[in-house]
Amino acid sequence: MNIFRLTDLSHLAAIVILLLKIWKTRSCPGISGKSQLLFALVFTTRYLDLFTSFISLYNTSMKVIYIACSYATVYLIYMKFKATYDGNHDTFRVEFLVVPVGGLSFLVNHDFSPLEILWTFSIYLESVAILPQLFMISKTGEAETITTHYLFFLGLYRALYLVNWIWRFYFEGFFDLIAVVAGVVQTILYCDFFYLYITKVLKGKKLSLPAKI
């Protein structure tokens, strides 16, 4: 059994932490709505195979949960608790991510078919979807503890997924270059955050970064 497939639980933990944080505080300051929109787009384009194939009840359930939670988060940020959303600092130009990623998914994929291109698009987009959130933190200069826990579990999920690919290559002879490269890119984006999380947040200090003007 590949125990690293349980990294799905780390991913789910990150999503649940963010949802509970928003619901319990009834506010969403410091959370990038743009990153959450990108993640909703990631899950939507990746799991269109819900309508074409069935692998297992667990697989289907996790896909539905990811999609439902991502749209629930977007709804809470942009609709229910819109008054608390800090749009003035959530200013990352997401078109600079979506357009290049869309073009790359057409050029570099495993099979030139609609579902495969959309799956590839989701893999590429997920690797950079967190950038608006990291940009927002760097712009405000700090992040709430719950937000940092969310980011930590999200980064942990991606880092462990790289180990999952190594496991699968060694024991199953399976290797997906697109997924591995995207995973490496995403993990690199989290490196500075991991360092700050370990040296500050775990010691009870508030995570802060030099604010950008």
Side-chain angles (χ1 to χ4, degrees):
M1 176 183 177
N2 182 356
I3 61 174
F4 294 107
R5 294 307 299 270
L6 296 178
T7 54
D8 289 339
L9 299 180
S10 177
H11 195 182
L12 184 59
I15 296 172
V16 171
I17 285 172
L18 186 63
L19 269 175
L20 289 178
K21 185 265 183 187
I22 296 174
W23 186 256
K24 289 183 69 175
T25 63
R26 306 189 72 79
S27 64
C28 52
I31 299 174
S32 170
K34 291 186 176 182
S35 270
Q36 297 310 311
L37 281 171
L38 292 179
F39 281 121
L41 182 58
V42 165
F43 295 134
T44 301
T45 53
R46 179 174 303 171
Y47 297 141
L48 289 174
D49 61 350
L50 277 170
F51 302 101
T52 61
S53 62
F54 177 82
I55 298 175
S56 68
L57 181 60
Y58 170 80
N59 181 273
T60 298
S61 298
M62 291 301 286
K63 290 177 179 179
V64 172
I65 290 172
Y66 285 147
I67 293 173
C69 287
S70 65
Y71 280 99
T73 304
V74 170
Y75 167 75
L76 292 179
I77 294 174
Y78 285 103
M79 299 292 290
K80 191 170 184 63
F81 304 126
K82 182 179 179 180
T84 66
Y85 168 55
D86 188 8
N88 292 328
H89 288 120
D90 193 15
T91 57
F92 192 94
R93 300 285 296 276
V94 294
E95 61 269 28
F96 292 158
L97 300 177
V98 175
V99 174
V101 162
L104 185 61
S105 63
F106 271 94
L107 297 174
V108 183
N109 52 66
H110 295 307
D111 179 38
F112 197 76
S113 64
L115 283 181
E116 186 64 29
I117 291 174
L118 288 172
W119 178 86
T120 305
F121 171 81
S122 75
I123 295 295
Y124 291 152
L125 184 60
E126 185 182 24
S127 68
V128 294
I130 200 62
L131 280 176
Q133 180 66 68
L134 297 178
F135 178 78
M136 188 176 185
I137 292 176
S138 70
K139 195 170 183 180
T140 59
E142 61 181 22
E144 294 184 13
T145 301
I146 295 298
T147 304
T148 59
H149 291 334
Y150 158 72
L151 290 173
F152 175 78
F153 277 102
L154 203 59
L156 181 64
Y157 145 74
R158 179 47 62 185
L160 290 178
Y161 222 79
L162 291 180
V163 182
N164 166 64
W165 287 116
I166 295 173
W167 176 284
R168 294 192 66 184
F169 176 74
Y170 186 79
F171 289 99
E172 303 173 15
F174 181 83
F175 183 76
D176 189 326
L177 183 61
I178 289 176
V180 170
V181 171
V184 169
V185 170
Q186 188 173 6
T187 303
I188 289 174
L189 292 178
Y190 282 96
C191 285
D192 284 344
F193 173 79
F194 280 145
Y195 172 77
L196 291 172
Y197 185 90
I198 293 172
T199 59
K200 290 190 176 183
V201 178
L202 292 184
K203 294 181 179 179
K205 300 177 182 179
K206 193 169 185 178
L207 187 146
S208 60
L209 298 171
K212 292 183 178 181
I213 299 176

